[in-house]
Amino acid sequence: MTEYNFETEGVKKTITYLNRKAPYGTIYALEVLESVLISAAFEQHANIVFVDDGVFQIKKDQDTADLDMKCFLPTYGIIEMEKEDADEDEDMDMNWRIIVEKESMEARGLTTDDFKIEVEVLSSAELADVLDTSDAVIGG
Amino acid sequence: MKFGILINEGPFTHQASDTAYKFVVAALEKGHEVPRVFFYYDGVYNANKLSAPQADDRNVVKRWSDLAADKGVDLVVCIAAGLRRGIVEDNLMDGFRISGLGQLTEAAIGTDRLMMFGD
């Protein structure tokens, strides 16, 4: 077993978290969310992106009682708070963006009013630029 | 170049782990560095030492373990994903270690490219 020590002090990268799956049915949404929360401690730039059925992850008024699964919708509020804290704290060099792809949202009959958290809506082409300028993409 | 590897799927059901393994071997042969492989989602099953495939098939778990022994690649299993799925120290294959999601963030920050294998 080899434990590698990365030199991350003073390194600033942009990590995109790409949410592509519906919130329930598979575990990807929950486990991407867990990785976003942990990453906040590293004070990196981050794009939390919702595309395809991933846009349903942040839809308001979810009720998972009949699924017998924990509803993790409230946890997205923590991401929103982290973003707001980073935006307000001038000493913190951490820029977080919460992005929904326009085409995915519209194809599913959703508008920004349907979301639990405030989002930035970008077209597919604009999102491509976001991905292109990211240092790493972590998805599920 | 320094590569970090993220494996999102378990062995056998999905080809992700096979492709990642081939990628890592090829990258090392070309002189690149692969300091860390991080196993997340069902990818944590790649560390299950109770896996016993038929003798005429590839042994995905052992293959990773051998790579860690031969090349010193740091194989990290996510603790939260592992606990959920019953991958714990008791059934952890040699060469793997269990740690937190911060190790994935570190790999994203500290490498030139993070390669993700999965759907």
Side-chain angles (χ1 to χ4, degrees), chain A residues 12-31:
Chain A
K12 192 64 75 173
K13 297 251 175 128
T14 300
I15 305 174
T16 292
Y17 293 88
L18 197 59
N19 291 289
R20 299 174 298 139
K21 306 280 172 75
Y24 306 95
T26 64
I27 199 169
Y28 297 101
L30 174 63
E31 291 195 322

Side-chain angles (χ1 to χ4, degrees), chain A residues 7 14-16 30-32 69 71 74 86 94 127:
Chain A
E7 192 51 66
T14 300
I15 305 174
T16 292
L30 174 63
E31 291 195 322
V32 170
M69 288 185 200
C71 180
M94 176 171 132
L127 182 58

